[in-house]
Amino acid sequence: MRGYHRLLDGIVAGRAGPPPVVEAMRLPGIDGWADGRVWGTWDVDPVVVGPGGVFGGYLAAVADSFSGICMYTVLEDGQWLATRELTLRFLLPVTGGRVRTESSVVRTEGRRVWIDTVFRTDDGTKVCTARAVQVVVAGQPPAPRPTAPSTAPSGDTSHARIPQ
């Protein structure tokens, strides 16, 4: 079993915690995976809902997250990924409830991989689609940059930490 597959199994089983950015942005996790595919069902967090429905940038972040996780199903050890393009089509507003998100590899050409992501409501209505182009990169991923200490007053959690 490849290292990424162990990571995916750990995520699904709840043994591997999400990266800090996933936690900070309240992005949903996956419920399962297969070669070239990941899926998850999540409850819409009211904090990301505005007057017109879920903030489109939030859905873009979910699509980017799911397409990146989908890449883990096809990457070999010693490879990592970078998102080259991400395009979304908003079909209907998402105002609440549960959403099922599924990402699938649809095409591979050299180092580029195309991944489609579909968002559906509980009743199966398609509300958003996304297409990502991921690039496979050889070698180790770059080390995360450290974040600056928070300048928020003690107990105030309403301010985000901004990397320097």
Side-chain angles (χ1 to χ4, degrees), residues 12-38:
V12 171
R15 294 187 311 267
V21 68
V22 170
E23 238 176 73
M25 294 181 71
R26 301 179 184 195
L27 298 177
I30 63 168
D31 295 332
W33 70 277
D35 285 339
R37 196 169 140 244
V38 298

Side-chain angles (χ1 to χ4, degrees), residues 81-141:
L81 65 109
T83 302
R84 180 176 179 168
E85 290 179 33
L86 181 64
T87 306
L88 273 76
R89 289 206 166 98
F90 302 102
L91 307 172
L92 293 168
V94 179
T95 56
R98 293 180 61 77
V99 175
R100 178 172 170 86
T101 304
E102 184 170 337
S103 292
S104 302
V105 172
V106 293
R107 182 173 150 207
T108 301
E109 184 179 295
R111 296 182 324 130
R112 292 180 295 170
V113 179
W114 283 258
I115 298 176
D116 283 351
T117 300
V118 177
F119 295 80
R120 295 182 187 276
T121 57
D122 256 354
D123 67 0
T125 303
K126 189 185 301 185
V127 292
C128 182
T129 62
R131 160 94 24 119
V133 179
Q134 300 283 356
V135 177
V136 176
V137 181
Q140 295 300 312

Side-chain angles (χ1 to χ4, degrees), residues 40-61:
T41 303
W42 48 281
D43 294 314
V44 172
D45 186 338
V47 75
V48 300
V49 179
V54 172
F55 172 57
Y58 181 79
L59 292 176

